[in-house]
mmCIF file of all heavy atoms in Angstrom:
data_model
loop_
_atom_site.group_PDB
_atom_site.id
_atom_site.type_symbol
_atom_site.label_atom_id
_atom_site.label_comp_id
_atom_site.label_asym_id
_atom_site.label_seq_id
_atom_site.Cartn_x
_atom_site.Cartn_y
_atom_site.Cartn_z
ATOM 1 N N VAL A 80 9.584 -15.727 -7.220
ATOM 2 C CA VAL A 80 8.859 -16.887 -6.693
ATOM 3 C C VAL A 80 8.009 -17.493 -7.810
ATOM 4 O O VAL A 80 7.666 -16.827 -8.789
ATOM 5 C CB VAL A 80 7.965 -16.504 -5.492
ATOM 6 C CG1 VAL A 80 8.806 -15.968 -4.348
ATOM 7 C CG2 VAL A 80 6.894 -15.492 -5.883
ATOM 8 N N GLU A 81 7.692 -18.770 -7.655
ATOM 9 C CA GLU A 81 6.957 -19.498 -8.681
ATOM 10 C C GLU A 81 5.475 -19.111 -8.700
ATOM 11 O O GLU A 81 4.878 -18.833 -7.648
ATOM 12 C CB GLU A 81 7.083 -21.004 -8.451
ATOM 13 C CG GLU A 81 8.501 -21.543 -8.603
ATOM 14 C CD GLU A 81 9.010 -21.423 -10.023
ATOM 15 O OE1 GLU A 81 8.174 -21.514 -10.960
ATOM 16 O OE2 GLU A 81 10.221 -21.205 -10.212
ATOM 17 N N HIS A 82 4.901 -19.146 -9.893
ATOM 18 C CA HIS A 82 3.492 -18.773 -10.065
ATOM 19 C C HIS A 82 2.567 -19.658 -9.236
ATOM 20 O O HIS A 82 1.649 -19.160 -8.570
ATOM 21 C CB HIS A 82 3.114 -18.865 -11.547
ATOM 22 C CG HIS A 82 1.631 -18.841 -11.788
ATOM 23 N ND1 HIS A 82 0.856 -17.725 -11.569
ATOM 24 C CD2 HIS A 82 0.775 -19.825 -12.216
ATOM 25 C CE1 HIS A 82 -0.397 -17.997 -11.850
ATOM 26 N NE2 HIS A 82 -0.479 -19.262 -12.242
ATOM 27 N N GLU A 83 2.789 -20.978 -9.265
ATOM 28 C CA GLU A 83 1.874 -21.887 -8.561
ATOM 29 C C GLU A 83 1.860 -21.601 -7.065
ATOM 30 O O GLU A 83 0.799 -21.625 -6.428
ATOM 31 C CB GLU A 83 2.272 -23.340 -8.832
ATOM 32 C CG GLU A 83 2.049 -23.806 -10.253
ATOM 33 C CD GLU A 83 3.102 -23.301 -11.240
ATOM 34 O OE1 GLU A 83 4.128 -22.734 -10.780
ATOM 35 O OE2 GLU A 83 2.911 -23.487 -12.448
ATOM 36 N N TYR A 84 3.033 -21.364 -6.495
ATOM 37 C CA TYR A 84 3.117 -21.035 -5.070
ATOM 38 C C TYR A 84 2.409 -19.714 -4.787
ATOM 39 O O TYR A 84 1.596 -19.609 -3.856
ATOM 40 C CB TYR A 84 4.584 -20.972 -4.646
ATOM 41 C CG TYR A 84 4.836 -20.180 -3.386
ATOM 42 C CD1 TYR A 84 4.408 -20.642 -2.140
ATOM 43 C CD2 TYR A 84 5.507 -18.957 -3.445
ATOM 44 C CE1 TYR A 84 4.637 -19.908 -0.984
ATOM 45 C CE2 TYR A 84 5.748 -18.221 -2.295
ATOM 46 C CZ TYR A 84 5.304 -18.694 -1.067
ATOM 47 O OH TYR A 84 5.535 -17.964 0.065
ATOM 48 N N ALA A 85 2.703 -18.684 -5.583
ATOM 49 C CA ALA A 85 2.090 -17.374 -5.355
ATOM 50 C C ALA A 85 0.574 -17.441 -5.494
ATOM 51 O O ALA A 85 -0.159 -16.781 -4.744
ATOM 52 C CB ALA A 85 2.670 -16.349 -6.322
ATOM 53 N N LEU A 86 0.090 -18.229 -6.429
ATOM 54 C CA LEU A 86 -1.358 -18.369 -6.622
ATOM 55 C C LEU A 86 -2.006 -19.011 -5.405
ATOM 56 O O LEU A 86 -3.075 -18.574 -4.953
ATOM 57 C CB LEU A 86 -1.640 -19.190 -7.877
ATOM 58 C CG LEU A 86 -3.114 -19.424 -8.219
ATOM 59 C CD1 LEU A 86 -3.848 -18.114 -8.411
ATOM 60 C CD2 LEU A 86 -3.238 -20.308 -9.473
ATOM 61 N N SER A 87 -1.359 -20.034 -4.845
ATOM 62 C CA SER A 87 -1.932 -20.684 -3.658
ATOM 63 C C SER A 87 -1.968 -19.725 -2.474
ATOM 64 O O SER A 87 -2.939 -19.711 -1.703
ATOM 65 C CB SER A 87 -1.137 -21.946 -3.310
ATOM 66 O OG SER A 87 0.155 -21.628 -2.822
ATOM 67 N N VAL A 88 -0.920 -18.909 -2.315
ATOM 68 C CA VAL A 88 -0.902 -17.918 -1.238
ATOM 69 C C VAL A 88 -2.007 -16.889 -1.457
ATOM 70 O O VAL A 88 -2.727 -16.512 -0.520
ATOM 71 C CB VAL A 88 0.471 -17.229 -1.156
ATOM 72 C CG1 VAL A 88 0.441 -16.079 -0.147
ATOM 73 C CG2 VAL A 88 1.551 -18.227 -0.769
ATOM 74 N N GLN A 90 -4.836 -17.186 -3.025
ATOM 75 C CA GLN A 90 -6.156 -17.764 -2.739
ATOM 76 C C GLN A 90 -6.407 -17.829 -1.241
ATOM 77 O O GLN A 90 -7.504 -17.509 -0.765
ATOM 78 C CB GLN A 90 -6.255 -19.148 -3.377
ATOM 79 C CG GLN A 90 -6.301 -19.120 -4.890
ATOM 80 C CD GLN A 90 -6.169 -20.494 -5.506
ATOM 81 O OE1 GLN A 90 -5.539 -21.395 -4.950
ATOM 82 N NE2 GLN A 90 -6.743 -20.682 -6.677
ATOM 83 N N GLU A 135 2.925 -12.142 -9.139
ATOM 84 C CA GLU A 135 3.329 -13.524 -9.401
ATOM 85 C C GLU A 135 2.142 -14.482 -9.489
ATOM 86 O O GLU A 135 2.236 -15.529 -10.138
ATOM 87 C CB GLU A 135 4.290 -14.013 -8.308
ATOM 88 C CG GLU A 135 5.643 -13.332 -8.316
ATOM 89 C CD GLU A 135 5.706 -12.136 -7.388
ATOM 90 O OE1 GLU A 135 4.632 -11.665 -6.947
ATOM 91 O OE2 GLU A 135 6.819 -11.655 -7.110
#
Side-chain angles (χ1 to χ4, degrees):
V80 298
E81 295 294 328
H82 166 69
E83 291 77 10
Y84 159 69
L86 180 59
S87 70
V88 173
Q90 291 171 331
E135 292 93 345

